[in-house]
Amino acid sequence: MGGTNPYLKPIEFELPTRPYRVRFIAGAEEKVVEVDPAKLPYGRDGLPGSLLDVALAHGVSIDHACGGVLACSTCHVKVKKGGESCNEASEPENDRLDEAPGVTPQSRLACHTVPNGSVPELVVEVPAWNRNLVREEHH
Ligand code: FES
């Protein structure tokens, strides 16, 4: 019997082909980082070229309790500008986001948000609860 399990669908995303910047805002602190497509992926956490990958490679601390496999929502960020250059949130990502505090239409999980470089500068807010590593465990 055929059927599709949405949780098994591959996550679709497009890697950038040109450099772009991300302005990470964490409270009063700001850090602008340059993303070089030739160097992606920077690390192993989250999708290659994801906002989590970019942040961690440039010393921007974003909590990522599950290591970037959509098993938590601690990497919750808000893409204030340039969200249109990112892959669409998948169903599993949206399900996880439902569990995150303070969700807005700009909310994404950093480990599964991959900008394609079509917008020269993204603005990404790292929420306070993430910066402080305060989280509630679900039972
Ligand atoms: S790090 Fe767990 S969902 Fe992103």
Side-chain angles (χ1 to χ4, degrees), residues 5 7-8 11 33 38 42 44 73 75 84 101 122 127 130 133-134:
N5 180 340
Y7 289 90
L8 297 178
I11 310 279
V33 307
Y42 288 115
R44 296 177 46 174
S73 57
C75 65
E84 66 275 23
L122 281 80
N130 188 325
L133 301 183
V134 173

Side-chain angles (χ1 to χ4, degrees), residues 88-99:
E88 263 186 52
S90 64
E91 224 175 291
E93 180 181 340
N94 282 328
D95 286 348
R96 284 293 169 195
L97 268 175
D98 282 347
E99 301 166 6

Side-chain angles (χ1 to χ4, degrees), residues 64 66 68 70-72 75 109 111:
H64 52 291
C66 76
L70 288 182
C72 72
C75 65
L109 293 181
C111 69

Side-chain angles (χ1 to χ4, degrees), residues 50-107:
S50 64
L51 290 174
L52 180 66
D53 189 24
V54 170
L56 296 180
H58 294 88
V60 176
S61 170
I62 295 179
D63 193 13
H64 52 291
C66 76
V69 295
L70 288 182
C72 72
S73 57
T74 58
C75 65
H76 175 198
V77 294
K78 295 180 182 178
V79 182
K80 298 284 194 179
K81 273 194 191 153
E84 66 275 23
S85 71
C86 301
N87 59 330
E88 263 186 52
S90 64
E91 224 175 291
E93 180 181 340
N94 282 328
D95 286 348
R96 284 293 169 195
L97 268 175
D98 282 347
E99 301 166 6
V103 171
T104 73
Q106 297 168 321
S107 292

